[in-house]
Each structure stands twice: as C-alpha cells, then as structure tokens.
Amino acid sequence: AMEDVCAKFVSQKISKTRWRPLPAAALQPPDLFATGSWDNEDNRISIWSVGDLGNVSLNGEYQGEPQLLCDIRHNGDVMDMQFLDQERIVVASSTGTVTVFRHHQNNQTLSANQRWEKAHYHVDQDTSCGGAACTGVICNNPEIVTVGEDGRINLFRADQKDAVRTIDNADSSTLHAVTFLRTTEILTVNSIGQLKIWDLRQQRNEPSQIFSLTGDRVPLHCVDRHPNQQHVVATGGQDGMLSVWDIRQGTMPVSLLNAHEAEMWEVHFHPSNPDHLFTCSEDGSLWHWDTSTDVAEKPSFLHQGGRSTTYFSHNTINQSVVSAWLSNDPTKDRMEITNLIPNQTLSVNSLDILGPCLVYGTDAEAIYVNRQLFA
C-alpha cells in the first residue's frame, strides 16, 4: 500500500529512474539508483541512496527518504539511461549525444567518462543544428546500442572512440526504444506500430523480422523482453495499450490489453519474477500486472488498502497470457491489475524494478521508492 512508498521532491521533472545493478552474488536489496531529468533549464543526472530503512523515528515512521549522493549537469533532456556496470551509466540526450558518466564511489562525484557527440543527427553530422534525439539505449557491457529520431541504430563499445557499427537508414520513422533479444540480436519499436528484430552479426542493414500492429499503426514507445522466455515480448503504445507478442509465430500481437488512458512510457517485466509486469503512463498511473496466482481464489472486492484492483477474465481479452503471458491454461484464467498510484495526475515517465524494490519518477518533480513491493 501507499504507506510503503517514500517520496522525494526534487524540483526537476524526472524522465528516467534506474536501479544500480547488484553484483551477481548479492543477496541484499538494491541500495542506489540514478535519475535523469528533462524539460528543465538545467537538466541533471543524479545518484541517490535509498535512505536508511532501519532508522525509525520516535513516532514510528521510517526516516527513509532517498538521499542525494551526487549530481552533474546534462546537456539536453535525458531521453534514456542504463547502467553499463556498477560504476558507469550511459545516457541518451535529446541533442543526439550519448554520454557515459562514471560514479566515483570513493568521493561521491560524477564525471563524464566518454562521449559520442551527435550519435544521432538529421541530414549530416557537420551542421550545427543537425542533432536528432537519441531516444533509446541498451547495454550489455561492453556493448551499447542506441536508437534515435533519425531512424539510425548505433553499436558502440565502451572505451572505443568510434561506433563499431551504424545502420544509417534502419528505419524511415522514429525509433522509440530498443532492447536486447539475445546477445547478438536487438528489438526496436517505431512510430508506425512496428516491432523489428535485428541480427547484429548480419552485415545486411535490414531487420531479420518485422512485426506490426494491425489497423491504425499506433506509435510504440517502449519494449521489454520476458527474462526467461525470450520469445515473449511486451510493448506499450501511444494509445496506452499493452501488446504481448510471441515472436515465434505470426507477425501480430498475441494479445492486446486495454491499459492506460494515454501514452505508455515504459514497460518492464520483473527481472527475477516475470509473472509480474509493470507499466507507467502519461495519464499518471503505474500498473502492476500480476499473473502469478489464480485470482479466482481471491475475494473479488475492488478496493483494498486504497488500491483499485480490476480482474480481467482471459476469455474477454482473447485466450492469451501462456508462460502466464501467452497461455490458455485454465488455471491462469485471470490476471490481477493494481494501480500502485491511484491519485497521481501528472505523467509517470519512468519506472525500474529490482528485487522487492520499485523506483519511479514523475513530471510532478518527485521520485518515489517502494521497497516492499511484494509485502
């Protein structure tokens, strides 16, 4: 419920929130996250610690609000951001530049470690106003893939000055997001409702597969791949719909789920518990989609602890969701959907989830941390 959530007002519109990844063997919950801002005179990359969970004040409240560890100015809006490793963060800018920032943990400072100026650009790299927004970045250390408004795909390698590979006219429309399908393949989504697979081993500059929304070709803004079942892919669109695709079959989504009332900005499967999926939207909501239990067993009351919960029976949204997400398994007959922030009015631009912890950022100039998501 809401009382598990710590808010921090930061006087910046927050465009991206990302947990620092944990070392492979780590058992502790995540402790650090990064944020990026947009639409401010002075945009910033900031590193936060989640605060001291164990510290309870006299009246029994957690003194757990996030603490700013360090920040640094960023040129342009932060369009996307991913940790490359424990210390480095790759940031995509509306100016078309891609920057790697290093977090120095010994003295809590941030510095620009590496920069690819105008990785994305309109017309030619030399015109001063030719930058095109870099809309998406994904990392698999040392590799970094970026996509942009210019329809370009770049493959960079950390510590190498020049792009390893550039696909110049990868798309005739804006590419909005990118993620890895496998180590050598990526998925992109674009502004005419297409999901494409690119095999980076191939020298051809064409996608190996193209999938498409039928009908109105609504722009797709975000994409994520199921962590264990790599054929299951989720995308979110400008109309707020959640689409689930099985890339082994057909060229259309397996299921279309009515979700938000405005643009869906991010979709994330829980990395270690992928029966849970999270989406956030311009409409000010953040939804938790839970296919993990047969909610037919649960009492169907709609309001519990201030959460509004909706049950969809799968035959109403076509026989979908195996792997939970694609199945006609009758035991998986229902899905529970909870709006984690019922009364937010401004856009929820970004969310990230790791272990029991959720972090999200909004146009209301606030960041929120929930550390007991499954409590």
Side-chain angles (χ1 to χ4, degrees):
M2 294 300 292
E3 56 270 22
D4 303 329
V5 178
C6 277
K8 175 86 176 181
F9 291 91
V10 294
S11 64
Q12 296 229 308
K13 291 183 183 176
I14 298 296
S15 56
K16 290 291 155 185
T17 55
R18 297 287 180 253
W19 289 112
R20 179 177 71 172
L22 289 167
L27 297 173
Q28 80 270 26
D31 54 348
L32 284 193
F33 64 92
T35 60
S37 69
W38 81 288
D39 196 30
N40 307 288
E41 275 179 39
D42 192 12
N43 289 307
R44 306 195 83 75
I45 306 295
S46 309
I47 304 278
W48 307 82
S49 87
V50 294
D52 184 358
L53 189 58
N55 219 344
V56 178
S57 67
L58 292 173
N59 60 5
E61 289 178 357
Y62 284 124
Q63 297 172 315
E65 74 164 30
Q67 304 295 318
L68 179 65
L69 297 177
C70 50
D71 65 356
I72 193 171
R73 192 158 177 274
H74 178 265
N75 196 10
D77 292 338
V78 174
M79 303 292 288
D80 199 6
M81 182 166 74
Q82 300 290 340
F83 275 87
L84 180 66
D85 54 27
Q86 295 280 298
E87 281 159 11
R88 290 178 293 175
I89 310 163
V90 185
V91 181
S93 172
S94 58
T95 65
T97 295
V98 177
T99 311
V100 183
F101 291 96
R102 186 179 286 277
H103 174 213
H104 305 273
Q105 297 180 49
N106 51 355
N107 62 355
Q108 292 303 341
T109 56
L110 274 164
S111 64
N113 181 235
Q114 188 172 6
R115 185 173 274 131
W116 293 282
E117 295 281 350
K118 292 215 183 114
H120 295 272
Y121 54 92
H122 292 302
V123 200
D124 64 301
Q125 245 165 325
D126 304 321
T127 52
S128 56
C129 58
C134 177
T135 51
V137 57
I138 193 76
C139 305
N140 182 16
N141 192 6
E143 298 195 321
I144 298 165
V145 178
T146 70
V147 297
E149 235 171 42
D150 52 358
R152 232 176 226 94
I153 298 173
N154 291 307
L155 173 60
F156 296 109
R157 202 159 275 139
D159 306 327
Q160 283 190 21
K161 197 164 75 67
D162 296 317
V164 178
R165 169 109 191 258
T166 294
I167 305 177
D168 267 328
N169 298 307
D171 211 295
S172 56
S173 65
T174 295
L175 289 168
H176 281 142
V178 60
T179 195
F180 278 102
L181 176 60
R182 297 180 184 82
T183 47
T184 55
E185 289 177 293
I186 57 167
L187 294 161
T188 60
V189 291
N190 70 11
S191 60
I192 54 169
Q194 293 173 322
L195 167 71
K196 298 182 182 181
I197 300 178
W198 304 82
D199 185 339
L200 297 173
R201 290 165 304 188
Q202 301 289 331
Q203 283 315 300
R204 299 181 311 132
N205 288 345
E206 278 94 47
S208 48
Q209 273 179 282
I210 301 179
F211 304 84
S212 194
L213 293 174
T214 50
D216 293 342
R217 295 276 182 121
V218 175
L220 293 173
H221 285 297
C222 52
V223 57
D224 197 25
R225 188 211 77 200
H226 191 290
N228 316 333
Q229 295 177 304
Q230 300 188 329
H231 54 277
V232 178
V233 175
T235 63
Q238 185 159 306
D239 55 1
M241 293 282 273
L242 174 66
S243 306
V244 181
W245 314 68
D246 182 345
I247 60 170
R248 297 169 308 183
Q249 54 179 42
T251 58
M252 285 157 26
V254 177
S255 57
L256 287 169
L257 299 133
N258 273 309
H260 302 278
E261 288 164 27
E263 291 89 348
M264 185 188 295
W265 293 131
E266 289 199 346
V267 55
H268 291 291
F269 285 101
H270 191 289
S272 53
N273 200 348
D275 285 347
H276 298 266
L277 178 107
F278 298 82
T279 59
C280 63
S281 167
E282 180 72 29
D283 69 7
S285 61
L286 192 161
W287 285 18
H288 173 188
W289 308 68
D290 178 2
T291 62
S292 65
T293 47
D294 179 10
V295 295
E297 314 270 309
K298 297 182 188 173
S300 274
F301 43 85
L302 285 180
H303 295 287
Q304 82 204 75
R307 298 182 177 192
S308 60
T309 303
T310 321
Y311 297 117
F312 283 149
S313 168
H314 275 176
N315 22 15
T316 65
I317 48 172
N318 84 29
Q319 289 300 322
S320 65
V321 203
V322 190
S323 94
W325 294 105
L326 307 175
S327 93
N328 340 349
D329 174 356
T331 62
K332 297 272 191 216
D333 191 34
R334 303 272 184 97
M335 173 161 29
E336 186 178 1
I337 299 164
T338 307
N339 179 9
L340 297 182
I341 36 174
N343 305 319
Q344 161 77 12
T345 53
L346 295 176
S347 179
V348 181
N349 295 321
S350 183
L351 71 96
D352 196 26
I353 174 117
L354 190 56
C357 300
L358 166 72
V359 59
Y360 58 95
T362 73
D363 273 354
E365 305 196 340
I367 45 181
Y368 298 84
V369 176
N370 179 341
R371 284 181 282 190
Q372 295 168 327
L373 200 56
F374 300 113

